[in-house]
Amino acid sequence: MANSSLSMFKEYFQYKGISFPELIYSAQGLREAENGFRVRDDDIFNVTYQKSGTVWMLEILSLIRSNGDPSWCRTVPNWERGPWYETILGLRMAQGNRSPRIISSHLPIQLFAKSFFRSKAKVVYTVRNPKDVLVSLYHFAQIFRPYKEPGRMDQFLERFLEGDVPFGSWFDHVKGWLGLRGCENFFCISYEELQEDLRGSIQRICQFLGRELEDQALDAVVANASFQAMKQNKMSNFSLSPSFLLDQSKKSFLRKGITGDWKNHLTAAQSEKFDRIYREQMQGLDLSFPWDEPRPQPSLPPADCSDPQLDSS
Ligand code: A3P
């Protein structure tokens, strides 16, 4: 397809103040995802701000569901195993999948399925150092056709910090979802923890899910969820994705898979600016992450597990 005809796809629309690319989302689909989607009690949601390790967690959850057996991951594309239910196609796939379903989502909590808040369904929320998210997104925006070209890093950095990107602000997303900390059906883990100790992280995820795995099964999950294993699996590396959506001729979706790549992309001034906004946005919150400066752990306030929108009405 010629570049000029592709550019018509690179349009965003706003849904309740958040940008979405037109090619794969629609306002009607988002309304349905929010108000019409029927969450089942045994659903497992794989929720992230984009570029935080979504497909990695999806692979881990798929392998746990299959008791470490990689057959499902090697025969079914990840977007069918754990569809992004806010997309036009993902919604239908999620509705049609049999239980227990794995459902992926990048939605901020205020747009999430209302019926989740009346269910026993579980959320695994993966967070990642936002500087690495920025860098990963910067590269992704160059290969994912529905996204606008990111331009220069300093321009993109501004837009990211302002939340002027699809799915809105990283800060709002993380603060919104982490409001569920302490709820028994919510589990948060970081990309950095997965990197640091994949086996131990998978054990914690299993514990949260109430799924005990034998040692051998656990080993198989670890082996098949590695960056290299996923890169070689065409069901997980997006090589089956149509090229009108993803152009992997120059860069891969599974790009580097490391922590701290921001150091190779941000100047000292850009990093300092990021840190300043980060401090402003996160100040006063009892949240600490592996990438933060060490500080004493405060005690957590009691959790409020209800729908945040109902609270404010
Ligand atoms: P990089 O672009 O930094 O390499 P998402 O799935 O949320 O879009 O996130 C994509 C990011 O997760 C990419 O980061 C990708 O390489 C990384 N990733 C995916 N699978 C991974 C794995 N098994 N191990 C480490 N990183 C992984």
Side-chain angles (χ1 to χ4, degrees):
M1 215 181 286
N3 273 346
S4 57
S5 50
L6 281 171
S7 63
M8 64 186 275
F9 293 134
K10 295 181 179 292
E11 294 296 328
Y12 297 163
F13 68 94
Q14 296 278 310
Y15 180 77
K16 299 194 175 177
I18 306 285
S19 294
F20 291 90
E22 277 180 359
L23 189 55
I24 45 178
Y25 300 87
S26 70
Q28 195 196 336
L30 290 166
R31 260 193 303 275
E32 200 177 332
E34 189 183 350
N35 302 307
F37 186 72
R38 285 171 54 182
V39 171
R40 304 175 196 158
D41 282 337
D42 55 2
D43 285 341
I44 298 164
F45 284 94
N46 168 33
V47 182
T48 59
Y49 186 84
Q50 57 184 333
K51 310 321 290 175
S52 300
T54 326
V55 302
W56 194 5
M57 185 54 70
L58 176 48
E59 206 73 356
I60 292 168
L61 295 174
S62 304
L63 288 159
I64 293 174
R65 188 184 188 272
S66 322
N67 222 14
D69 180 347
S71 321
W72 191 40
C73 289
R74 291 185 187 160
T75 49
V76 179
N78 58 4
W79 61 81
E80 286 179 30
R81 282 185 264 125
W84 279 251
Y85 87 112
E86 64 265 26
T87 62
I88 297 167
L89 288 176
L91 184 65
R92 300 288 163 244
M93 283 185 207
Q95 284 164 334
N97 277 358
R98 63 183 174 82
S99 295
R101 298 183 294 189
I102 300 170
I103 302 171
S104 302
S105 179
H106 295 315
L107 285 176
I109 193 166
Q110 71 274 18
L111 303 185
F112 205 62
K114 288 268 173 287
S115 63
F116 165 75
F117 299 96
R118 301 186 293 270
S119 77
K120 295 194 177 83
K122 295 183 170 175
V123 164
V124 177
Y125 187 72
T126 312
V127 277
R128 185 181 190 187
N129 184 338
K131 287 181 179 171
D132 284 333
V133 170
L134 163 77
V135 168
S136 184
L137 184 58
Y138 182 72
H139 290 283
F140 180 64
Q142 296 168 34
I143 64 170
F144 190 49
R145 310 269 204 196
Y147 278 12
K148 293 181 181 170
E149 296 294 336
R152 292 195 321 268
M153 178 54 98
D154 55 340
Q155 299 168 321
F156 191 67
L157 172 78
E158 291 293 325
R159 291 205 297 280
F160 182 85
L161 291 174
E162 283 166 15
D164 183 17
V165 289
F167 301 103
S169 151
W170 179 91
F171 302 102
D172 292 347
H173 203 280
V174 169
K175 287 188 275 188
W177 276 104
L178 289 188
L180 296 189
R181 272 176 320 153
C183 299
E184 62 179 20
N185 62 344
F186 180 81
F187 181 79
C188 177
I189 192 160
S190 64
Y191 181 97
E192 290 72 16
E193 287 168 287
L194 294 174
Q195 285 279 8
E196 177 82 21
D197 177 12
L198 184 55
R199 198 169 203 276
S201 299
I202 294 169
Q203 280 176 312
R204 288 169 56 212
I205 296 164
C206 285
Q207 205 170 15
F208 168 68
L209 298 176
R211 277 292 303 266
E212 217 177 300
L213 293 187
E214 301 283 333
D215 275 359
Q216 233 180 337
L218 191 58
D219 290 342
V221 178
V222 174
N224 289 289
S226 74
F227 187 70
Q228 283 317 321
M230 286 179 59
K231 243 183 137 49
Q232 283 159 19
N233 180 359
K234 64 178 187 301
M235 299 295 163
S236 309
N237 64 15
F238 290 97
S239 56
L240 299 178
S241 184
S243 61
F244 77 88
L245 275 183
L246 194 65
D247 171 15
Q248 292 201 82
S249 60
K250 293 188 196 78
K251 291 180 186 197
S252 305
F253 182 100
L254 295 173
R255 191 181 59 92
K256 279 195 178 172
I258 58 169
T259 55
D261 192 35
W262 65 267
K263 292 174 192 148
N264 300 317
H265 289 86
L266 300 190
T267 64
Q270 287 167 344
S271 172
E272 273 163 29
K273 169 152 197 183
F274 200 115
D275 290 343
R276 187 168 50 75
I277 306 287
Y278 182 89
R279 274 195 301 274
E280 278 169 25
Q281 285 276 350
M282 307 303 271
Q283 68 174 346
L285 298 167
D286 290 335
L287 295 173
S288 68
F289 299 102
W291 55 85
D292 288 332
E293 299 285 309
R295 59 181 178 140
Q297 275 290 324
S299 57
L300 298 178
D304 178 357
C305 305
S306 55
D307 180 344
Q309 281 205 322
L310 291 179
D311 283 353
S312 58
S313 59

